[in-house]
Amino acid sequence: MIRPGLLSLAPLLLAVGCTAPGQKLDRGTYDLVDTDGAQRVDHDMFPITPQLLAALSDLPPSGPRANPELEEQLQSYRYRIGPQDVLTVTVWDHPELTIPAGEFRDAEIQGHLVGPEGNIYFPYVGDVRVAGRTATEVRDEITARLSEFIQDPQLDVRVAAFRSKRVTVTGEVTEPGMLPLTDVPLTLVEALTLAGGATPEAALQRVQVMRDGETRTFDVLALLERGDMRQNILLQDDDLVYVPEGSFDAVHMLGEVETPGVVRMVRGRMNLAEALALSGGFDSTEADAGRVFVFRGGYEEPQIFWLDAQSADAMLLATQFQMQPQDVVFVAPTGLSRWNRLVNLLLPSVQSLWQTQALIDELRDE
């Protein structure tokens, strides 16, 4: 007797691909039947056509894009002194007031360390509030206060060591760590460069900048390849730059392809034709090229796209259909393939039945 467990597979094998090869599927529903045929689930399906590609097209502008906000910030940028910075104050013609910082003395060590309260001490002047101010503002105050003791003092104030402000770069960069903010403005792209550049596994199209509890995502790849300056920003103190790993940027290949599995997207990009080629193409004996499905989106409301790849012009459409991370591509089997699989499942039980009947017949003959 044939085992019921094997027969229970038949409804699924017969139901999947119930639409005949080559039959036109307009946007509508596609019936999925479970193993016992008791439940039917309808899903919207979108045939891949030139009209669909036009609707899905999110091609970026071909030329570079300016970033006026960043340009204004760079022009108005001024470094503001903070605690732990080291200042050097030079008073011309008054060496007694100037800390020697020549070739035998390190200005960073011998300079004026900004205390936790944001002050430095200077002879004759006393405590000077420097935190939150520019070097020019500090120079003006010391000059005004020192003029009570020295006629027409000439001063120069500089930051010898930048210690108070920094950004952190982590993730898929060659040299993760902290970078100091200096009197030269630091942008996102410059920070990545100073961190040694991105690793081959980096997902540059999803670089994150965390600031004040908020996270913004930037497509640095678009900046580097297309000159989209909108993907660059001026970094601030305590910013955290994170370059994620790109393993999420992959497409899952299932069904009748030569090499089912995960196909990694190069720089976060891949089209359907490339995904099929990288998985070895269609299985020449079992694949139904007329039913190539792309499943996209969440579990509750997935989008299903369908491509009839039996013609060359359809494969041209596949080159224009851009994949998204975690898309699932399924190549359905042919009707003959489904029948062969059903036979292969049933045949052992049938053969067992035949052998049992033959043994019974032999015993009866004896």
Side-chain angles (χ1 to χ4, degrees):
M1 181 175 184
I2 300 177
R3 290 174 292 177
L6 293 176
L7 287 178
S8 65
L9 294 174
L12 176 61
L13 294 173
L14 296 175
V16 174
C18 55
T19 304
Q23 179 179 341
K24 183 179 179 181
L25 294 179
D26 294 326
R27 184 186 186 278
T29 59
Y30 181 66
D31 298 328
L32 301 178
V33 184
D34 63 9
T35 54
D36 59 6
Q39 182 178 1
R40 299 172 67 87
V41 181
D42 294 335
H43 290 279
D44 285 338
M45 178 172 292
F46 303 88
I48 298 177
T49 62
Q51 293 75 19
L52 176 71
L53 295 177
L56 295 177
S57 177
D58 56 353
L59 295 178
S62 57
R65 301 295 296 273
N67 189 343
E69 180 181 358
L70 176 61
E71 294 175 0
E72 181 179 352
Q73 290 175 340
L74 293 176
Q75 292 177 359
S76 61
Y77 177 80
R78 300 292 184 273
Y79 181 81
R80 297 197 172 273
I81 301 166
Q84 301 305 314
D85 282 341
V86 177
L87 307 182
T88 57
V89 182
T90 302
V91 184
W92 301 108
D93 296 330
H94 290 273
E96 72 280 5
L97 297 178
T98 301
I99 296 178
E103 58 179 337
F104 301 110
R105 306 194 70 174
D106 190 343
E108 182 175 342
I109 297 176
Q110 301 299 328
H112 298 274
L113 177 65
V114 181
E117 300 82 9
N119 301 330
I120 63 170
Y121 177 83
F122 195 76
Y124 297 108
V125 175
D127 287 334
V128 180
R129 179 70 177 179
V130 297
R133 308 174 73 179
T134 66
T136 300
E137 293 171 344
V138 174
R139 182 195 65 188
D140 292 342
E141 178 173 346
I142 296 178
T143 299
R145 295 171 61 177
L146 194 61
S147 61
E148 300 179 7
F149 308 95
I150 299 176
Q151 183 178 2
D152 193 20
Q154 303 295 312
L155 274 73
D156 182 31
V157 178
R158 297 185 180 182
V159 181
F162 299 90
R163 298 177 176 178
S164 64
K165 299 175 178 61
R166 60 183 60 87
V167 299
T168 303
V169 182
T170 185
E172 294 299 323
V173 291
T174 304
E175 300 175 4
M178 292 185 295
L179 300 174
L181 291 180
T182 68
D183 54 349
V184 178
L186 182 66
T187 64
L188 174 59
V189 173
E190 292 167 341
L192 296 177
T193 301
L194 292 175
T199 66
E201 294 78 20
L204 287 177
Q205 66 276 16
R206 294 196 310 277
V207 176
Q208 298 177 347
V209 177
M210 305 174 192
R211 176 184 299 171
D212 298 331
E214 297 182 358
T215 301
R216 297 175 61 188
T217 302
F218 298 90
D219 188 352
V220 176
L221 195 60
L223 188 154
L224 298 177
E225 293 184 347
R226 303 192 300 270
D228 187 357
M229 294 302 298
R230 298 174 304 170
Q231 306 303 320
N232 198 16
I233 63 168
L234 181 66
L235 296 179
Q236 299 179 7
D237 185 27
D238 288 332
D239 279 354
L240 173 63
V241 178
Y242 173 67
V243 181
E245 198 263 337
S247 61
F248 179 83
D249 299 330
V251 175
H252 302 270
M253 305 299 297
L254 304 176
E256 306 309 321
V257 291
E258 291 291 346
T259 310
V262 178
V263 177
R264 180 76 176 270
M265 303 175 72
V266 179
R267 293 188 175 182
R269 295 191 300 267
M270 178 178 292
N271 59 52
L272 179 55
E274 292 171 334
L276 291 170
L278 290 173
S279 62
F282 300 120
D283 187 318
S284 59
T285 60
E286 298 186 346
D288 182 358
R291 289 199 299 275
V292 179
F293 301 104
V294 178
F295 296 83
R296 174 177 299 170
Y299 173 76
E300 295 181 355
E301 296 183 1
Q303 291 178 310
I304 304 177
F305 302 93
W306 169 72
L307 175 69
D308 182 354
Q310 296 180 101
S311 60
D313 56 344
M315 290 307 296
L316 291 177
L317 293 177
T319 64
Q320 301 300 316
F321 185 85
Q322 299 300 318
M323 308 300 296
Q324 294 184 6
Q326 300 303 305
D327 276 354
V328 176
V329 178
F330 175 74
V331 179
T334 63
L336 178 60
S337 173
R338 293 193 298 273
W339 171 251
N340 289 338
R341 292 180 186 178
L342 179 60
V343 171
N344 289 335
L345 287 172
L346 295 178
L347 190 56
S349 296
V350 174
Q351 289 176 332
S352 177
L353 177 62
W354 288 344
Q355 293 172 355
T356 302
Q357 187 62 45
L359 180 60
I360 293 175
D361 292 342
E362 290 179 2
L363 292 175
R364 287 177 178 176
D365 293 339
E366 294 179 356

